[in-house]
Amino acid sequence: MPKIKTNSGSKKRFTLTGTGKIKRKHAYKSHILTKKTKKQKRNLTHFAIMDACDAKKVKALLGM
């Protein structure tokens, strides 16, 4: 049986933590930043932990 390929897009966007949770970046931080407040931009900088229901789908894309 052939090996399952890892989805290249998800490989670039998500990382696993030591406990097996999935880390992701926030959206809306790439452009049109002039109208966003400093506080909003600062809070978008931090990583977030993905919800368990979505984590299942992402783990499948990562081949886990």
Side-chain angles (χ1 to χ4, degrees), residues 21-24 48-58:
K21 294 177 183 173
I22 295 177
K23 253 185 353 182
R24 65 172 179 84
I49 300 294
M50 187 161 277
D51 287 341
C53 57
D54 295 328
K56 254 185 196 176
K57 296 172 193 169
V58 173

Side-chain angles (χ1 to χ4, degrees), residues 6-39:
T6 303
N7 183 287
S8 296
S10 56
K11 181 172 56 177
K12 294 167 194 169
R13 286 174 173 84
F14 305 109
T15 53
L16 274 174
T17 62
T19 56
K21 294 177 183 173
I22 295 177
K23 253 185 353 182
R24 65 172 179 84
K25 282 191 173 182
H26 285 280
Y28 308 112
K29 186 71 191 342
S30 56
H31 59 94
I32 313 175
L33 298 174
T34 51
K35 61 176 80 170
K36 293 174 185 139
T37 61
K38 285 181 204 170
K39 183 180 180 180

